[in-house]
Amino acid sequence: MTALSAELSAIAGAAFAAEGLSETFGHVQRSDRPDLAQFQCNGALAAAKQAKTNPREVAQKVAARLKANPLFFKVEIAGPGFINLDVTDEELGVRLGTMAKDRRLGAPQTGKGKALVIDFGGPNVAKAMHVGHLRSAVIGDSLQRLFRANDWTVTSDIHMGDWGLQMGQLISEIAHRGIAPVYFDPNYTGEYPAQSPVTMDDLEEIYPAASAACKADPARLDEARKATAELQAGRRGYRALWQQFFNVSKVGLDREFSSLGIHFDMWKGEASVDRITVPMVEDLKARHIAIESDGALVIPVERNTDKKEMPPLILVKSDGAVLYGTTDLATVVDRVREQNPDLILYVVDQRQHLHFEQVFRAAEKAGLKGKAALEHAGFGTMNGTDGKPFKTRAGGVMKLFDLIAMVTAEAEKRLTEQGIGEDYSAEERADIARKVGIATLKFADLSNYRLTDYIFDLERFSKFEGKTGPYLQYAAVRMQSILRKADAKDLQPHARAILHSPEERALILHLLGLHDAMAGAEAKRAPNILCEYAFELAQAFSRFYAAFHILSESDDAVRASRLGLCGLTLAVLTKVLALLGIEVPERM
Ligand code: ARG
């Protein structure tokens, strides 16, 4: 199924072509002035400029051709040569019927036959997560849902930070404490215990202590560096200990991300490309792509078109250690081998942009990226109401659980304020509060364009009115309730609308715009487009609902048509909220 705007563009394009002009001038979009028209085509202006004629004349000729098409109810020329278009109610109804019958609700199929690897989350083993990891997880999860819905074959990878100095710091701290001597015995050849010697809670205490010890004492830092190098070189006991850290962290992180409804297909990380790294570096050296520079091995990536300085990508430091860029380059190799993707998307803090630019250029130069386009989808900072990077009330270390508890408590307060669910069981109320709390958090984050910094104002984003997650959930719940009441009275919906009013027309046009919203959000890697769409849809529905009594309408056909509209609006709203990772409670 093609979107209505694409269909209209094709028709307008043909009209331009018939006038000997390029059909690309036929691009049709939703009107900027919905009070004047449903759609508009601005191509006559550019076409006239190119053909050096009068734009109104071009518009008139094109409009005359469009008028001959029974699809249009109205074809008008406005201003210097804009063409305003309205589609007949009959044709809108037909398209609505087709959309309602489609299981995918007319979603685009931009990803058909294409594979995406999406890299997001990126927490570091043992180190505390910060809001950057939260934003990456929320935005990345929404993008993975969207790309999947648009028919891409998607593989998500959490890409854990598990290979840096923090691992050596943990190992040497554990050595000092004498917690698990077997891992440090160089003569030990037996199996290591299945049970981890440390828990997640232990790691949370050990890492800050280790890090402080290294700051205070250069000898300790040296030890940590040495342990890191030995780990990377493959010392058996260290590898076994590393595996325990990884496993323990994975269980903890999975629990935290799952409670936000966020899942990853792969739990790989910097360490998982360890075996690829050495042969890759050797190969790059042999091909003179990597060169010596001040004792280090680097890949120069500057181009003569660069306006800013572009430092080389450092592959191996003079002390033999590999770096963040090395593991990221090897990860490209791994992904090309395993998934052979058309696109690799990195949802990572914008402050890492230079790093990715270096990695992408190095991959390009070395011919390592297969058919994949490499792209950094960066994001800005989530700040608190004080304008500084957001911290939970407890301050410092951010635990997702604390954050979820905080938004859930706020949601509970709001539910009480609104008098919602007073008679529900404590269990159901808690479940609703959790869903509303998570919606508050995710919508606050996703409704801003990802690159803009924003202030997480819990007070504002937890409200049941305005552009918030809870408002949209409440709107969907209201639709559910109308449909339930209709069902109880055995009133049947009909998907093909009978149009009588501007409110219905506006709602239908908005519903038919789902395809464009999903395509646009994919193209810009921008879930905020979906947020905007969902909010406008809820408002269009609200105006429609305020204008008519649906259940008490006496004309059977009209009532059925309006119930059908309600059902489709609910399906579309639920789908878009799901793309944002937001669940709709059964009732509120
Ligand atoms: N672990 C990194 C950090 O905390 C993020 C990883 C992002 N992904 C990547 N392929 N570099 O900053």
Side-chain angles (χ1 to χ4, degrees):
M1 177 181 161
T2 55
L4 182 52
S5 58
E7 198 184 324
L8 301 183
S9 296
I11 294 169
F16 276 96
E19 294 299 327
L21 298 159
S22 164
E23 59 181 19
T24 55
F25 293 124
H27 178 74
V28 171
Q29 64 198 57
R30 285 292 300 280
S31 172
D32 301 335
R33 291 282 307 271
D35 52 326
L36 297 182
Q38 298 170 350
F39 295 92
Q40 66 185 60
C41 172
N42 306 343
L45 286 95
K49 200 167 173 194
Q50 200 184 61
K52 300 199 171 55
T53 56
N54 177 335
R56 259 195 99 91
E57 248 165 58
V58 174
Q60 253 143 13
K61 285 185 189 149
V62 171
R65 291 185 183 274
L66 296 181
K67 276 185 189 148
N69 192 320
L71 185 67
F72 296 111
F73 173 72
K74 182 181 91 181
V75 178
E76 262 174 19
I77 297 166
F82 301 113
I83 304 173
N84 283 341
L85 301 165
D86 276 357
V87 173
T88 66
D89 286 351
E90 165 69 6
E91 293 289 343
L92 288 180
V94 171
R95 276 154 193 80
L96 194 78
T98 311
M99 178 176 178
K101 273 193 230 103
D102 178 9
R103 195 179 46 83
R104 301 175 68 256
L105 297 175
Q109 294 184 294
T110 26
K112 206 167 186 168
K114 288 200 276 185
L116 165 74
V117 171
I118 180 165
D119 178 318
F120 68 94
N124 301 314
V125 167
K127 280 200 220 169
M129 274 205 262
H130 50 71
V131 288
H133 296 118
L134 174 72
R135 287 213 75 188
S136 173
V138 169
I139 299 168
D141 182 52
S142 176
L143 290 175
Q144 80 164 327
R145 290 164 183 265
L146 173 65
F147 275 80
R148 247 181 218 125
N150 289 351
D151 257 3
W152 286 76
T153 301
V154 176
T155 310
S156 52
D157 179 13
I158 190 167
H159 200 78
M160 297 266 274
D162 55 6
W163 211 224
L165 180 65
Q166 85 266 27
M167 306 314 299
Q169 289 177 309
L170 285 176
I171 292 172
S172 69
E173 177 73 17
I174 286 175
H176 269 265
R177 296 189 185 190
I179 297 176
V182 62
Y183 292 93
F184 298 90
D185 178 355
N187 300 317
Y188 183 73
T189 55
E191 295 254 324
Y192 290 100
Q195 180 78 22
S196 170
V198 287
T199 63
M200 189 68 195
D201 286 345
D202 295 336
L203 286 181
E204 274 163 21
E205 180 268 316
I206 294 172
Y207 176 72
S211 156
C214 289
K215 271 205 192 94
D217 180 358
R220 286 292 300 269
L221 183 59
D222 256 7
E223 277 176 42
R225 287 225 173 94
K226 189 158 164 266
T228 310
E230 285 186 76
L231 167 72
Q232 295 188 354
R235 181 165 161 169
R236 217 177 134 257
Y238 288 9
R239 288 285 174 118
L241 202 48
W242 175 90
Q243 190 64 54
Q244 301 285 20
F245 300 156
F246 184 91
N247 294 348
V248 163
S249 298
K250 179 179 170 188
V251 172
L253 288 166
D254 196 15
R255 207 181 295 140
E256 289 200 275
F257 284 126
S258 292
S259 61
L260 279 178
I262 297 175
H263 301 281
F264 300 90
D265 299 316
M266 295 194 301
W267 283 73
K268 288 194 168 182
E270 296 163 6
S272 52
V273 290
D274 171 46
R275 246 166 281 162
I276 300 180
T277 308
V278 174
M280 177 189 81
V281 170
E282 287 311 315
D283 166 63
L284 294 175
K285 257 203 294 203
R287 292 197 283 134
H288 304 293
I289 287 167
I291 56 170
E292 293 274 327
S293 167
D294 292 330
L297 193 66
V298 306
I299 303 182
V301 291
E302 80 274 354
R303 292 175 181 160
N304 43 26
T305 50
D306 285 341
K307 299 221 163 55
K308 272 187 270 168
E309 197 201 341
M310 178 55 69
L313 181 81
I314 305 175
L315 276 185
V316 186
K317 283 205 298 185
S318 49
D319 66 1
V322 298
L323 292 165
Y324 188 41
T326 328
T327 52
D328 260 330
L329 194 59
T331 303
V332 173
V333 174
D334 184 44
R335 289 170 179 164
V336 167
R337 257 182 226 168
E338 299 294 323
Q339 283 83 29
N340 190 22
D342 297 272
L343 172 64
I344 307 179
L345 206 53
Y346 298 80
V347 186
V348 185
D349 196 313
Q350 183 63 11
R351 282 170 295 190
Q352 297 192 24
H353 193 69
L354 177 66
H355 161 79
F356 285 109
E357 186 62 36
Q358 292 173 302
V359 171
F360 297 169
R361 287 184 181 197
E364 167 96 57
K365 192 171 179 185
L368 299 177
K369 64 193 195 95
K371 61 173 170 165
L374 306 178
E375 197 184 309
H376 176 210
F379 53 79
T381 322
M382 164 175 159
N383 291 320
T385 34
D386 58 359
K388 300 204 187 97
F390 181 85
K391 292 197 167 72
T392 51
R393 253 166 241 164
V397 177
M398 190 193 63
K399 293 275 217 65
L400 281 186
F401 281 135
D402 295 343
L403 192 61
I404 294 171
M406 182 178 107
V407 291
T408 305
E410 187 72 14
E412 241 156 66
K413 202 179 91 191
R414 294 284 183 184
L415 290 172
T416 310
E417 261 172 35
Q418 300 280 320
I420 295 173
E422 277 155 353
D423 50 340
Y424 299 174
S425 73
E427 215 184 353
E428 185 178 356
R429 253 187 84 98
D431 184 58
I432 295 172
R434 189 186 57 84
K435 286 179 180 150
V436 172
I438 289 175
T440 301
L441 182 69
K442 289 187 176 176
F443 200 85
D445 197 294
L446 295 171
S447 57
N448 299 283
Y449 177 57
R450 59 183 159 76
L451 280 168
T452 29
D453 297 345
Y454 77 100
I455 289 176
F456 181 66
D457 180 349
L458 187 55
E459 165 77 23
R460 180 177 137 218
F461 286 116
S462 61
K463 283 195 177 140
F464 280 88
E465 66 260 9
K467 211 182 277 182
T468 71
Y471 165 71
L472 294 174
Q473 285 175 313
Y474 194 68
V477 165
R478 206 163 58 169
M479 293 170 209
Q480 285 173 173
S481 136
I482 298 167
L483 291 167
R484 258 199 302 264
K485 279 187 199 142
D487 197 50
K489 290 189 185 167
D490 218 17
L491 301 177
Q492 296 308 319
H494 191 306
R496 177 137 164 211
I498 306 169
L499 287 174
H500 289 283
S501 69
E503 288 84 3
E504 283 159 298
R505 230 168 263 131
L507 179 58
I508 290 173
L509 280 165
H510 209 71
L511 287 167
L512 292 173
L514 174 67
H515 176 287
D516 287 354
M518 288 175 74
E522 178 190 311
K524 293 204 161 67
R525 290 59 166 120
N528 65 302
I529 293 177
L530 298 173
C531 294
E532 201 62 39
Y533 175 82
F535 179 64
E536 282 171 11
L537 179 64
Q539 283 191 313
F541 181 80
S542 172
R543 280 190 284 267
F544 159 73
Y545 187 65
F548 304 105
H549 291 282
I550 301 181
L551 292 172
S552 57
E553 168 62 50
S554 55
D555 183 321
D556 282 351
V558 171
R559 188 185 55 237
S561 155
R562 289 186 182 150
L563 276 175
L565 262 183
C566 181
L568 189 57
T569 308
L570 174 63
V572 170
L573 184 55
T574 308
K575 179 177 178 121
V576 176
L577 288 175
L579 295 177
L580 302 171
I582 294 174
E583 287 175 87
V584 177
E586 205 123 305
R587 54 178 190 167
M588 268 166 86

